[in-house]
Amino acid sequence: AASRTCALPSPEPTPLQLLSPAPLLGPSLLPTPCSPLWLPWIAPPSPCPCRGWGFHHCCAPLGAALSLSLPSPRPPLPGYTLTMEPSRQVETVATEEPTVQEAREEALEAAPFVEKLEVKPWGVLGTQMTGQGERAVGPSPDDATAVVDPTSLAHVQGLGPRSSSGASGAIYGRAGLDRATAFPAEVVAEVQHEHDAKHQRYGSTQVIHVVGPDLRGPEFAHDEKKALEALTEAYTNVLAEFVSSGCARLRLLPLSGGFFSGHYHGDMPGMTIGALGAAFARLSPALQREVLRASALELCV
């Protein structure tokens, strides 16, 4: 998608302006001329007027190295609907749970996590695909870094690692699993369903295997709330496994990407951040504290 150039907020009211309920994280949560998406999880303020709204090169840390523009505004929270007309304000209408107060509390609870999350322009192994092939552009993960593997249930329960490709295949090559016909018994026992996750150490490589939802399924065809809930469940399990791993750093990647995103392909940046924020908010206070103690939380794109 083409990137947009960030501009300072106009002194005039923008077409997108929140009427009710009040902004969840303070008065600076107002859209800007390059705002394609409302992301209530991001905590302002920032020198960049786009902070927390669009994924643009100037937005730090979440917008760093991303230049994705979504085709239309998305609902601010599950259960909310946005309506927009040119030069008119946006009205938010609560259609079902969560209540406004619950939504506000969840957003405030998630803000420290999303604020700490850094977007990196490389994969979980520190590499990036270019016209000349794969090259190292970032630091390679050490033995204190857990990397997320977006595996499939078919591979965990039958096909095995050696038949994998893409991000999973690269991770298995590093972990020494590229010729293995089966995953370790602990992984097979714990990853039985979509959304399940399991941490496993392979020598100096720490991996969190997780099965993201296949959003091409008919159950998600006309139900974005259900799709967001499925992503949230998967990310919740990833964060819990990260805490149990004892690792100091976490390298995430967007789950259910590529053709697994189905018709949500253009919405995945916003859905990913929304699901990550909701996942953190679901953790117990003790687990939240452990996640925030991480020396680095990275979303590798």
Side-chain angles (χ1 to χ4, degrees):
S3 62
R4 301 184 186 182
T5 302
C6 295
L8 291 174
S10 168
E12 300 297 323
T14 59
L16 286 175
Q17 196 167 27
L18 191 62
L19 277 182
S20 176
L24 299 181
L25 296 175
S28 59
L29 271 183
L30 292 176
T32 64
C34 56
S35 303
L37 174 72
W38 191 57
L39 293 178
W41 305 112
I42 315 302
S46 165
C48 171
C50 290
R51 177 60 184 278
W53 298 92
F55 291 76
H56 305 280
H57 287 297
C58 65
C59 298
L62 282 174
L66 282 178
S67 57
L68 301 176
S69 297
L70 301 187
S72 61
R74 303 308 308 164
L77 286 173
Y80 284 73
T81 301
L82 286 180
T83 58
M84 181 180 67
E85 296 178 11
S87 302
R88 296 286 299 276
Q89 292 181 320
V90 171
E91 181 179 2
T92 59
V93 182
T95 57
E96 54 187 62
E97 295 294 338
T99 66
V100 171
Q101 182 61 28
E102 289 170 339
R104 181 180 294 111
E105 291 174 356
E106 189 173 64
L108 288 171
E109 195 171 6
F113 168 75
V114 182
E115 177 71 19
K116 190 179 178 72
L117 194 63
E118 297 179 83
V119 172
K120 298 296 184 182
W122 51 69
V124 294
L125 299 181
T127 58
Q128 186 182 77
M129 289 301 297
T130 68
Q132 290 72 44
E134 190 175 66
R135 64 187 181 96
V137 294
S140 181
D142 57 21
D143 61 359
T145 301
V147 300
V148 172
D149 161 38
T151 189
S152 73
L153 202 58
H155 283 91
V156 173
Q157 293 297 323
L159 296 176
R162 71 177 181 181
S163 62
S164 299
S165 59
S168 291
I171 293 170
Y172 301 157
R174 179 183 175 89
L177 293 175
D178 49 329
R179 296 186 179 182
T181 58
F183 285 87
E186 300 92 334
V187 175
V188 175
E190 293 294 328
V191 181
Q192 297 275 339
H193 309 283
E194 278 194 356
H195 321 140
D196 286 349
K198 179 68 174 72
H199 165 260
Q200 189 73 20
R201 180 169 188 145
Y202 303 95
S204 61
T205 304
Q206 307 258 19
V207 180
I208 297 176
H209 303 285
V210 59
V211 178
D214 186 346
L215 300 181
R216 299 171 299 171
E219 67 272 29
F220 302 118
H222 305 289
D223 196 337
E224 183 175 331
K225 183 177 179 181
K226 182 176 288 186
L228 188 61
E229 169 62 26
L231 285 169
T232 298
E233 185 175 347
Y235 283 121
T236 301
N237 292 333
V238 167
L239 294 178
E241 285 297 306
F242 170 63
V243 172
S244 68
S245 74
C247 291
R249 290 170 291 278
L250 175 63
R251 283 191 173 178
L252 292 151
L253 44 63
L255 299 178
S256 305
F259 60 84
F260 289 108
S261 62
H263 72 274
Y264 294 107
H265 178 74
D267 301 332
M268 290 308 294
M271 291 177 70
T272 296
I273 299 300
L276 279 167
F280 178 81
R282 288 187 181 182
L283 298 176
S284 68
L287 287 180
Q288 288 180 355
R289 288 192 295 271
E290 291 299 318
V291 169
L292 293 177
R293 286 195 183 105
S295 61
L297 297 171
E298 300 175 350
L299 179 61
C300 300
V301 298

